[in-house]
Amino acid sequence: HLCDRRKRQMFIRYSHYCRFGIKFSMLITRAVGLSTLIFLKIAAAQPTLSAVCNSAPAPAQTVFINVDCHFAPQTENRNSMVTLFYSLDGQNSWQEAIMTRLTAPGYESTWQTSLVAPVSGNVYYYIRAADESGYATYSPFNIDNIWPPGSALLASVAAETVGDAIQPEGPWLDLTGAWVSRSNDYFYARLRNNHNSWPTYTFPQPYYIYSLGFVNPEAPSDTFIFVMSYANILTIYTTGLYAINRYTQSYERVGDIEAQTNGNLLSLRCPISRFTADRRFGPWPNSSGYLYAAAVTQAVYPIGGSYVRDTTVPCRFYANRTPAFTVNQNAPPQLTNARVIPDTGEETTPFWFNVRYIDTDTNLPPISTVIVDDNTFNLIPTSHKYANGVVFSIRRSGFPPGSHQFYFRFSDGMAPVTTQPDTFIVIGTGITEQTGKVLSDISFVPNPAHSSVRLISERSLEQSITITLFNISGSPVLAQTVTPGSLINLRHLPAGTYFARIQTTPPTIKRLVRLP
């Protein structure tokens, strides 16, 4: 009798499928299409992460971790939080540290925290930003393609609550968590429900679909969503990778995936190559470094309709890079193009001190300063992509008349670097430089001078040339009319820096020339 009842149930299911075959297929298409609703309000609402970096990891010393994080204006300061997850035991366990916003000039959107490096070995870390709009997160890196991955190799992409699924279906449609990660070869996902299993069918209906989908923001169009689905709807929709058209709600199976259930956990894995083989997915790695990821559960009714039962908010999943560093491994940074502009001015002149910092390890500089005489000033960076080279600078005025020495001092956390000392001159108010034509072809030889100096010109000038020398306070110390090529006697002047005003007639052209 039991055997006959099972056969009768199978026959009824088959009859329903035959009778409503076309309608059934259309309903499945509609049901799958409904899953795209979770991606329709992406609109860049989630936080963004960029410029993840750390200082050089000296053994048993403090390492600083930075990330640039931007929250949408409508959600900023609404439960906004940036968290560092770091592992000192090869990703077997993770510790957490809350990051704080720096707000200093050049770091207005930079969040920072620190950790103490071990004496040796590798340190893995990833960062997650969260607010009311959802998550943006990096993830652990599944180096050995462990399957199914344990919780230590997954990053949460949703803050799910129990009991928020549409009723009346069972608790297996109530998502209580979603996670993702990656390796060089695979994208991984894990879902958790409010039940002890993942049924795919309840007699006589509905069928169930459990999915986690990705959207590439740099795909050729916004039409397609790629989902890893766990399902068993006859031959119409089975476990696999699908490309879903969110406008027509049509779908196409584009590859196999691996799926495994264990109690209330569902693990999914798909080779990255199956995503990238389909040009509709878009380039990967892409320039932004992230994919949108979200999970959905569905109940599909062959008779009567289909409905989405539970979804997660889309998350920015940064899958292009998992930060890590090796303790005591470091290449010293470089400083180039150290200068001040202008190198001569008055007390009110804003002097622009700037230097280029390059670190091939992408290490941030905990120390980035310019030392002027005995004063130290912190510099402001133009960006935080240190491997490409970043200009650090600051503008300062109010220096007293005289010659001032400056140099730049940086450290990446292990290797201090400085530039050679240089000088700039602040002149008194008695000297002003005229605007107009610049005598770029006039020079003094030798320079620096000793007992005398010769005026040299590359073009013909009037025979009457008046030269006035000033000291750094702006007081005149010598006035002489000369002809090009003649010697100017400097024996009566003490050692120092002087300025020359050159006047020719006609016309009158004036220029300051430094004579150290």
Side-chain angles (χ1 to χ4, degrees):
H1 178 73
L2 180 61
C3 180
D4 290 341
R5 187 174 65 182
R6 288 177 176 173
K7 288 180 180 180
R8 185 166 58 252
Q9 290 174 348
M10 292 176 62
F11 178 77
I12 292 172
R13 290 176 58 186
Y14 180 73
S15 298
H16 282 168
Y17 173 62
C18 294
R19 182 177 178 183
F20 301 102
I22 297 177
K23 182 179 179 181
F24 187 39
S25 180
M26 293 175 62
L27 286 171
I28 299 300
T29 299
R30 179 169 175 256
V32 174
L34 283 172
S35 68
T36 65
L37 293 174
I38 62 176
F39 291 97
L40 294 181
K41 296 183 179 180
I42 291 174
Q46 287 70 42
T48 62
L49 300 173
S50 62
V52 177
C53 56
N54 54 266
S55 59
Q61 299 299 311
T62 298
V63 177
F64 295 95
I65 313 289
N66 280 8
V67 62
D68 290 345
C69 180
H70 295 272
F71 292 94
Q74 64 269 26
T75 59
E76 189 167 14
N77 300 322
R78 296 181 183 176
N79 300 321
S80 300
M81 180 178 293
V82 182
T83 306
L84 171 74
F85 299 85
Y86 64 97
S87 175
L88 306 179
D89 59 3
Q91 300 191 107
N92 290 313
S93 63
W94 296 86
Q95 302 179 52
E96 297 183 23
I98 301 300
M99 306 185 78
T100 56
R101 193 171 181 175
L102 294 180
T103 71
Y107 300 94
E108 291 84 355
S109 298
T110 301
W111 297 67
Q112 178 175 283
T113 190
S114 62
L115 59 89
V116 176
V119 295
S120 62
N122 296 322
V123 175
Y124 298 89
Y125 68 90
Y126 68 95
I127 294 171
R128 182 179 73 203
D131 65 6
E132 290 186 351
S133 69
Y135 287 178
T137 188
Y138 287 81
S139 79
F141 184 68
N142 194 340
I143 301 171
D144 299 318
N145 286 322
I146 295 174
W147 173 251
S151 59
L153 291 176
L154 295 160
S156 175
V157 294
E160 272 297 293
T161 56
V162 176
D164 62 344
I166 299 173
Q167 299 302 319
E169 267 73 33
W172 51 84
L173 291 178
D174 182 15
L175 287 172
T176 60
W179 296 263
V180 293
S181 69
R182 71 175 187 97
S183 69
N184 284 329
D185 307 307
Y186 294 92
F187 287 139
Y188 296 85
R190 172 174 287 179
L191 307 181
R192 184 181 65 201
N193 67 14
N194 189 24
H195 191 54
N196 56 16
S197 63
W198 297 82
T200 57
Y201 173 73
T202 299
F203 179 81
Q205 60 177 356
Y207 292 85
Y208 304 114
I209 304 175
Y210 314 97
S211 305
L212 188 135
F214 293 117
V215 169
N216 188 340
E218 296 171 31
S221 74
D222 64 351
T223 302
F224 292 95
I225 297 168
F226 286 75
V227 299
M228 296 185 287
S229 292
Y230 178 71
N232 186 20
I233 308 178
L234 302 175
T235 59
I236 298 175
Y237 198 93
T238 58
T239 299
L241 177 66
Y242 289 84
I244 303 173
N245 187 316
R246 71 185 184 97
Y247 295 111
T248 66
Q249 299 183 356
S250 60
Y251 63 91
E252 176 187 348
R253 194 177 192 278
V254 295
D256 295 330
I257 68 169
E258 294 175 78
Q260 185 177 117
T261 63
N262 182 14
N264 66 347
L265 299 178
L266 167 63
S267 298
L268 307 170
R269 176 171 82 163
C270 184
I272 296 175
S273 60
R274 290 193 182 137
F275 288 86
T276 57
D278 194 315
R279 63 179 182 82
R280 296 172 296 183
F281 180 73
W284 187 259
N286 59 22
S287 59
S288 61
Y290 65 83
L291 303 169
Y292 287 106
V296 60
T297 63
Q298 296 165 265
V300 181
Y301 288 81
I303 304 173
S306 60
Y307 304 92
V308 174
R309 294 305 179 184
D310 200 4
T311 64
T312 65
V313 174
C315 166
R316 275 193 175 96
F317 170 36
Y318 287 82
N320 66 330
R321 174 176 177 261
T322 298
F325 59 79
T326 301
V327 175
N328 208 29
Q329 181 175 299
N330 185 49
Q334 299 177 358
L335 298 178
T336 63
N337 299 333
R339 58 183 179 170
V340 62
I341 300 175
D343 62 359
T344 302
E346 300 179 357
E347 293 181 64
T348 57
T349 300
F351 291 92
W352 183 45
F353 301 91
N354 62 97
V355 66
R356 189 174 187 85
Y357 172 87
I358 304 172
D359 193 295
T360 56
D361 296 329
T362 72
N363 288 334
L364 65 90
I367 298 175
S368 54
T369 59
V370 60
I371 291 86
V372 182
D373 300 329
D374 294 325
N375 299 308
T376 300
F377 302 100
N378 292 323
L379 299 170
I380 301 171
T382 54
S383 77
H384 306 135
K385 297 181 179 180
Y386 304 113
N388 299 330
V390 172
V391 174
F392 282 76
S393 65
I394 194 171
R395 294 183 187 273
R396 281 290 183 269
S397 60
F399 298 103
S403 177
H404 299 275
Q405 185 182 80
F406 73 95
Y407 64 94
F408 297 92
R409 175 186 294 161
F410 278 68
S411 173
D412 65 356
M414 289 180 63
V417 288
T418 60
T419 61
Q420 292 295 321
D422 200 353
T423 59
F424 67 100
I425 303 297
V426 177
I427 59 178
T429 57
I431 304 176
T432 58
E433 183 172 8
Q434 303 297 313
T435 60
K437 189 174 182 180
V438 177
L439 299 179
S440 59
D441 54 359
I442 289 182
S443 59
F444 291 87
V445 177
N447 192 358
H450 297 288
S451 59
S452 62
V453 68
R454 190 183 303 274
L455 176 68
I456 301 296
S457 174
E458 297 179 0
R459 62 184 174 89
S460 175
L461 292 175
E462 282 289 330
Q463 294 300 307
S464 177
I465 302 174
T466 301
I467 296 178
T468 305
L469 294 185
F470 300 83
N471 61 22
I472 58 176
S473 297
S475 301
V477 295
L478 180 149
Q480 187 174 338
T481 301
V482 299
T483 58
S486 61
L487 286 174
I488 302 172
N489 189 351
L490 305 177
R491 292 180 183 275
H492 66 287
L493 297 177
T497 299
Y498 298 89
F499 303 88
R501 175 180 291 161
I502 304 169
Q503 182 175 339
T504 65
T505 57
T508 299
I509 303 173
K510 298 179 181 180
R511 184 187 180 202
L512 290 175
V513 179
R514 188 167 65 178
L515 300 174

